[in-house]
Amino acid sequence: MMRTALVTGGSRGIGFGIATALANAGFQLSINGLREEQEASEALEKLRSNGTEVFYCRGNIGIAAERKSIVETTIKKFGKIDVLVNNAGVAPLVRQDVLELDEENYDRLLDINLKGTYFLTQDVAKRMIKETASDYNPCIITITSVSATIASINRGEYCISKAGLAMMTKLFATRLAEHNIQVYEVRPGIISTDMTAGVKEKYDSLINNGLTLEKRWGTAEDVGKAVTVLATGLISYATGQVIEVAGGMTIGRL
């Protein structure tokens, strides 16, 4: 039986790179996004181009009723979720110094990036526990960021959300180990997407001056490869661990 992956935020950017890699690995896909399906149609058709069955479930993971609908419609379509990829997230609407950050912007970002992801994971995990198929090998993978450990004082709410997701991974890995559910964190660095297009010149200069050991931007394809290795079980006996896809950015150097 084919395995199903639910990828939140899977129709663009890093999420689309992940979805593409999983499609190439033989997964059928449930793609979640905020856009109307018609607006995401180009990405969805690319995913279907090699014969992959792709289902689109629109919804905001920051809203409880929509989270529930995302999970229930996916299971109604495919019967089960083998792999959950928590990728959906937003950037700050406006960058504010930590001394100026207002509660409205803080709440908006944390409700989606951290709270929404936590309770979506909780829902899916409970359903994974109930699955009885003998060949069922469930896995939960959360996409965070090097911002989980590197401070950016003009987007503190984003850093806090990613640090929270890093701990969430450890918590669920600990709780779900007895049920043989693997839980991982993939931590990207500077990745070329539409979200980072506005800071391209800044990071071009930083990368050229040694920000990363590998002197290039990361790609959504790089992240997709890492997720696929985990989703297909090619790495084992490693639940709760972090796979960093950042070109050596966080290695301390003298």
Side-chain angles (χ1 to χ4, degrees):
M1 182 179 293
M2 289 190 70
R3 301 182 74 206
T4 298
L6 167 59
V7 183
T8 64
S11 66
R12 65 197 313 171
I14 288 175
F16 181 70
I18 292 167
T20 300
L22 291 173
N24 291 336
F27 283 83
Q28 51 194 9
L29 300 173
S30 179
I31 301 296
N32 157 253
L34 283 175
R35 295 183 291 171
E36 295 285 352
E37 184 168 357
Q38 186 174 356
E39 295 177 71
S41 61
E42 182 178 352
L44 298 175
E45 288 310 308
K46 285 181 180 178
L47 293 173
R48 294 180 178 121
S49 62
N50 67 351
T52 301
E53 186 167 6
V54 179
F55 173 69
Y56 186 73
C57 50
R58 183 171 180 258
N60 182 346
I61 64 168
I63 299 173
E66 295 187 24
R67 276 197 307 272
K68 182 178 179 182
S69 177
I70 291 165
V71 176
E72 291 187 345
T73 56
T74 296
I75 291 175
K76 182 178 180 181
K77 172 67 177 178
F78 293 117
K80 59 183 171 58
I81 297 170
D82 297 272
V83 176
L84 169 64
V85 181
N86 289 313
N87 168 76
V90 295
L93 288 174
V94 58
R95 294 193 174 200
Q96 297 174 300
D97 183 273
V98 292
L99 296 179
E100 305 298 330
L101 175 61
D102 60 78
E103 287 190 40
E104 183 179 359
N105 282 319
Y106 180 95
D107 288 344
R108 166 191 168 268
L109 191 142
L110 269 291
D111 279 352
I112 295 170
N113 290 15
L114 183 54
K115 179 181 176 181
T117 301
Y118 181 96
F119 286 103
L120 179 70
T121 301
Q122 182 190 74
D123 187 1
V124 173
K126 288 179 179 179
R127 297 167 192 265
M128 286 177 166
I129 289 170
K130 293 178 181 178
E131 179 60 47
T132 59
S134 60
D135 60 347
Y136 188 55
N137 296 295
C139 181
I140 297 170
I141 302 165
T142 299
I143 311 304
T144 63
S145 166
V146 291
S147 294
T149 59
I150 297 177
S152 296
I153 61 171
N154 63 351
R155 54 188 189 120
E157 70 273 47
Y158 184 81
C159 296
I160 288 168
S161 74
K162 297 303 183 179
L165 291 175
M167 176 51 71
M168 185 197 81
T169 295
K170 297 180 189 300
L171 292 168
F172 278 103
T174 302
R175 179 63 181 85
L176 299 177
E178 66 182 277
H179 301 286
N180 296 315
I181 299 172
Q182 302 294 297
V183 183
Y184 299 104
E185 176 191 350
V186 173
R187 191 176 289 177
I190 310 303
I191 307 298
S192 179
T193 68
D194 54 355
M195 185 181 287
T196 55
V199 291
K200 184 179 186 304
E201 186 175 341
K202 170 186 175 180
Y203 282 104
D204 280 346
S205 176
L206 288 171
I207 289 168
N208 286 335
N209 285 289
L211 176 67
T212 57
L213 297 181
E214 298 182 51
K215 289 197 172 184
R216 68 172 177 88
W217 283 73
T219 66
E221 181 183 10
D222 292 324
V223 183
K225 288 177 180 177
V227 170
T228 301
V229 167
L230 298 171
T232 53
L234 291 176
I235 293 179
S236 57
Y237 200 56
T239 192
Q241 298 307 300
V242 180
I243 305 296
E244 190 170 284
V245 184
M249 176 182 175
T250 62
I251 295 176
R253 287 160 276 170
L254 291 175

